[in-house]
Amino acid sequence: MKKKKKKPIVLIYILILIILYIMIYVFPKVTGVLQPTYNITYGEMKLSDTTDGYVVRNEKLYLTSRGGDTNYYIEEGDLLRTGSTVMEVEGSTDSEISSRFEGIIERVGDAAVTTGSYSVEDGGVVYYFADGYEGQLTPKNMRKKDKSFYDQLRQKDVVSLNREKVNAGEPVFKIVDRTKWYMVCYIPKEHRSRYKVGDRINVEFDDVSLRTTVCSRKNEGEFCKIVLTTDHFYGRFGEMRVINDVHLVTYEERGLLVENKSIVEEKGQKGVYVQDKVGNVSFVPIKVIKSDGEKSLVYDTRFYDETGKEHLTVEIYDVVLKNPKES
């Protein structure tokens, strides 16, 4: 018997291996098949830093010259003219200063005003809260204070002054200038470029949103100290010294978002690989508007380069290769 020829079988086997190699290693790289993809959609690009805000005001704390029963004429938050009378103290008491006010009196020092008429030297908003930093922390010296000073501030040191009886020498009310106030914040030094002097920044906390302006910035070690100012009236601004977890929003827009790991560069032009319905991929140029490090907001449909040349670009629902650099 003649032996069967094995050569055609070997050739067929080799041909199958070649086809499989092309399908597994070559075809996907050319067409994008089997590579992870996603659809471009509209979304919100929001750049912000979450930090603590230290409130600084032009304010004056008043101490009572005698003790007795209190009678308040003015509600907290009311705006008063110069010379207005806030309250009166009737009767008398020989009791010593309450321990809850000792820290406040020590910190405020000579900056406080002792009064027996309870009328205000300068107009402003009346508040029945104090922490004693009314004289230590002012718009004039806030830039000279370093992070170690601000780190020691605590909201729990703010004490309510509204009560039925007072003792001589105790704080009774303060008057705050509401026309302009400040917030000092520390952010990572690498985010310094987000905060240029004169820029408008939204400050968000709880259900409050304040429009502020950057009036100074200064590096301190690994941090950058940002000083914001606003004339926006916030009802509790005279009570608050430290506001935890404020969000400093430096950018907020909606548009087409692409993942940064999808972006490649060809001949100096940034772009992404877009896959068509049959799996073929092609390079499409893009122009980045803003990036948060993970995603980028890009122009939709078309953009113009520095020379004025028009480029067609990505559109909503385009299918983009997720990570073409790994292909």
Side-chain angles (χ1 to χ4, degrees):
M1 295 179 61
K2 294 182 178 181
K3 293 182 179 181
K4 294 182 179 180
K5 295 182 179 180
K6 295 182 180 181
K7 191 172 182 180
I9 297 175
V10 173
L11 290 175
I12 292 173
Y13 178 74
I14 293 174
L15 182 61
I16 292 173
L17 289 178
I18 293 174
I19 293 173
L20 288 173
Y21 177 85
I22 292 173
M23 291 180 64
I24 295 172
Y25 295 103
V26 179
F27 186 69
K29 292 184 180 181
V30 175
T31 66
V33 172
L34 303 181
Q35 290 193 36
T37 61
Y38 64 94
N39 293 94
I40 297 179
T41 58
Y42 282 105
E44 182 182 66
M45 172 67 67
K46 186 173 184 177
L47 299 181
S48 66
D49 288 292
T50 300
T51 183
D52 293 333
Y54 304 98
V55 178
V56 184
R57 304 164 289 252
N58 278 309
E59 54 191 345
K60 188 172 293 185
L61 182 61
Y62 287 75
L63 310 180
T64 179
S65 62
R66 61 192 181 90
D69 299 322
T70 58
N71 182 18
Y72 297 95
Y73 300 149
I74 306 299
E75 291 188 3
E76 184 170 82
D78 284 356
L79 180 62
L80 302 182
R81 295 179 179 178
T82 299
S84 299
T85 301
V86 176
M87 60 184 291
E88 67 175 353
V89 175
E90 300 174 327
S92 64
T93 177
D94 296 327
S95 299
E96 295 182 353
I97 293 174
S98 171
S99 60
R100 63 193 292 251
F101 300 116
E102 289 177 352
I104 293 175
I105 295 169
E106 181 181 351
R107 286 191 291 269
V108 74
D110 296 336
V113 176
T114 299
T115 180
S117 66
Y118 309 102
S119 60
V120 302
E121 295 182 349
D122 299 296
V125 180
V126 62
Y127 277 93
Y128 300 110
F129 286 94
D131 62 357
Y133 289 101
E134 288 79 9
Q136 290 193 38
L137 181 58
T138 69
K140 290 184 178 180
N141 66 18
M142 61 184 176
R143 292 176 179 83
K144 298 177 183 179
K145 305 290 186 182
D146 61 16
K147 193 172 186 297
S148 62
F149 173 84
Y150 289 102
D151 284 343
Q152 73 177 341
L153 300 180
R154 297 288 185 272
Q155 184 59 32
K156 67 180 182 180
D157 291 333
V158 178
V159 176
S160 173
L161 307 180
N162 196 320
R163 57 204 187 276
E164 294 181 354
K165 292 181 180 293
V166 297
N167 301 311
E170 291 181 347
V172 285
F173 63 86
K174 72 179 177 185
I175 300 298
V176 182
D177 177 10
R178 64 145 292 175
T179 59
K180 182 183 289 187
W181 55 286
Y182 303 84
M183 186 179 291
V184 176
C185 300
Y186 284 86
I187 52 103
K189 188 168 64 176
E190 57 267 26
H191 292 176
R192 171 189 169 98
S193 61
R194 297 182 183 179
Y195 302 83
K196 295 180 175 61
V197 174
D199 282 358
R200 302 298 295 268
I201 305 295
N202 276 340
V203 177
E204 300 176 351
F205 56 94
D206 299 332
D207 294 326
V208 179
S209 180
L210 301 174
R211 192 71 167 161
T212 69
T213 302
V214 179
C215 58
S216 71
R217 64 178 185 178
K218 180 183 178 181
N219 288 343
E220 286 188 23
E222 60 184 6
F223 296 95
C224 181
K225 179 167 70 178
I226 304 297
V227 179
L228 306 172
T229 183
T230 183
D231 59 3
H232 186 107
F233 182 70
Y234 160 54
R236 297 183 63 197
F237 90 106
E239 172 190 347
M240 305 302 295
R241 180 65 71 190
V242 182
I243 305 177
N244 299 119
D245 297 329
V246 298
H247 305 289
L248 309 181
V249 182
T250 53
Y251 187 84
E252 188 173 12
E253 294 290 343
R254 286 187 60 81
L256 285 186
L257 294 177
V258 300
E259 297 179 12
N260 283 2
K261 58 186 176 183
S262 300
I263 300 175
V264 295
E265 190 169 316
E266 289 192 2
K267 298 179 181 179
Q269 173 62 58
K270 289 183 177 180
V272 295
Y273 284 101
V274 176
Q275 186 182 83
D276 63 20
K277 294 180 179 179
V278 296
N280 296 316
V281 296
S282 58
F283 177 80
V284 176
I286 63 170
K287 187 174 182 179
V288 174
I289 302 171
K290 204 76 171 179
S291 176
D292 65 2
E294 296 183 0
K295 293 184 178 181
S296 290
L297 189 72
V298 300
Y299 282 90
D300 182 2
T301 308
R302 58 175 54 82
F303 68 86
Y304 296 88
D305 61 23
E306 292 74 12
T307 66
K309 180 181 178 181
E310 182 184 58
H311 295 267
L312 297 180
T313 186
V314 291
E315 299 180 0
I316 189 170
Y317 302 131
D318 276 351
V319 179
V320 172
L321 297 191
K322 195 174 186 69
N323 198 346
K325 296 175 183 177
E326 293 184 353
S327 62

